Amino acid sequence: MGELGRGDTNGILSLPWIRPERTSAGLGWDRIYLSKQRERPYRAEFGPARTHQLILHLAGPVTVRRGVGSPGERSRRIPAGGLFLQPSHQELSVELGGELDTLHVYLPDSAVQEAAGSDAPVRLADELGSVDPLLEQLVLALDSVVRDWEPGARAYADQLAALVAAQLARQHRSGRSTPPAPRSVEALTDRQFAQVRELMDERLAEPLGLAELAAAAGLSVSRFARRFKARTGLPPHRYLLRLRVDQAGLLLRTGTEPIVDIAVRCGFSHQEHLTRVLRAHLGTTPAALRRDG
């Protein structure tokens, strides 16, 4: 599957007055698409899309009606933080009652089915004004990745996309019943972990997506993410960042290579990116590490 884009959505983002402030277009994301924009009041019908549509209201309250003109018409005044969920492959009739800042997230049904980890297909509910603090934070985190994009953040973005899919599959399925008690998660085997670690070491300077790491272990993305954390105690993107920080620190303490070259060699976009990360993780700077040896 190629990068997801506006052509994979149901058409709301193609309304003539919508001018997205930022989107994930051009970042190579093939499992999720994000767009931030301001919407005007409208009433329209949209055809089905192959992606699930999740809208996070960033302001409010605003009145929204869905199923307009149908026997199942619903109306709700949705506050900031409220969610609108439109399952894939379904037509949509909707009316927005006021101006609104929104974050739209679209992801393919295959991502949800993979995250569910079940032989039986999962159908998502059509929701109007639901509240899910975890899902809200995941969407906001995705937006922050787009806003402050660094090539090294690809694995983090993939992890967030997998978490969004998993939360939708578990908490927003149609006719959802009480979920079963959580089971212990199987960890990566020694062989799988060695293969993944080898790939991380070889590609330390390059953007490395979650799908590539999962392929090295011979697992789906969702299973890999769970088993990797069970093995290491960290999500893949955090572990990879730790490797980059450790390698940068070693080179700074023991070598004379220019700091800007070390930054690029260890997977950071530029020297300022390395400085920001070292300050956040080690409470120091590249120059201080080099000076203190």
Side-chain angles (χ1 to χ4, degrees):
M1 181 186 296
E3 180 185 69
L4 290 182
R6 186 179 293 188
D8 299 296
T9 71
N10 61 5
I12 290 179
L13 298 180
S14 297
L15 293 171
W17 57 83
I18 289 184
R19 300 287 187 272
E21 180 179 333
R22 55 180 169 266
T23 77
S24 59
L27 302 183
W29 295 5
D30 57 0
R31 302 177 64 82
I32 204 161
Y33 176 73
L34 180 137
S35 178
K36 182 183 186 298
Q37 57 281 310
R38 186 165 184 80
E39 300 184 43
R40 298 179 186 175
Y42 71 88
R43 176 177 177 177
E45 296 182 358
F46 303 96
R50 71 184 189 92
T51 52
H52 301 291
Q53 176 193 40
L54 177 67
I55 302 176
L56 172 63
H57 287 219
L58 298 176
V62 174
T63 299
V64 179
R65 298 165 63 202
R66 74 180 301 162
V68 179
S70 72
E73 179 178 321
R74 289 179 289 161
S75 177
R76 185 164 183 184
R77 195 157 174 78
I78 302 177
L83 299 168
F84 181 103
L85 178 59
Q86 172 68 12
S88 65
H89 306 295
Q90 294 186 21
E91 295 182 346
L92 173 64
S93 176
V94 64
E95 179 180 285
L96 177 63
E99 292 193 353
L100 180 65
D101 292 317
T102 59
L103 282 170
H104 284 219
V105 168
Y106 299 84
L107 68 165
D109 185 60
S110 58
V112 173
Q113 303 305 324
E114 179 182 300
S118 172
D119 293 334
V122 171
R123 294 179 60 242
L124 297 186
D126 56 335
E127 297 182 3
L128 179 63
S130 56
V131 175
D132 184 331
L134 174 57
L135 200 52
E136 177 184 358
Q137 290 306 309
L138 290 172
V139 172
L140 291 173
L142 275 168
D143 181 52
S144 71
V145 173
V146 174
R147 184 188 62 228
D148 305 317
W149 176 248
E150 301 283 357
R154 176 62 189 272
Y156 180 43
D158 286 345
Q159 179 75 21
L160 289 173
L163 291 171
V164 169
Q167 184 69 359
L168 287 173
R170 292 168 186 164
Q171 300 296 330
H172 297 270
R173 64 177 67 192
S174 180
R176 182 178 70 90
S177 57
T178 303
R183 297 176 296 175
S184 59
V185 178
E186 181 180 351
L188 292 179
T189 65
D190 290 344
R191 181 172 178 273
Q192 288 173 323
F193 180 70
Q195 290 172 322
V196 172
R197 178 59 192 266
E198 182 180 1
L199 179 61
M200 286 181 168
D201 289 338
E202 289 177 353
R203 301 271 302 277
L204 200 64
E206 306 171 28
L208 191 55
L210 201 60
E212 294 172 275
L213 295 170
L219 296 170
S220 68
V221 168
S222 59
R223 285 192 175 89
F224 168 73
R226 292 193 296 268
R227 294 185 185 186
F228 186 93
K229 187 172 183 180
R231 173 70 187 242
T232 66
L234 291 172
H237 73 277
R238 292 283 300 278
Y239 187 90
L240 181 58
L241 181 60
R242 191 177 72 179
L243 291 182
R244 287 170 169 155
V245 168
D246 290 346
Q247 181 66 12
L250 176 64
L251 294 175
L252 287 165
R253 289 191 300 270
T254 62
T256 58
E257 190 176 359
I259 294 175
V260 63
D261 294 339
I262 290 176
V264 174
R265 182 174 167 183
C266 294
F268 299 98
S269 302
H270 40 66
Q271 183 172 332
E272 291 76 11
H273 184 202
L274 172 61
T275 300
R276 188 165 65 246
V277 172
L278 289 185
R279 185 175 284 118
H281 287 258
L282 302 180
T284 188
T285 65
L289 270 179
R290 168 156 286 172
R291 182 178 63 249
D292 297 340

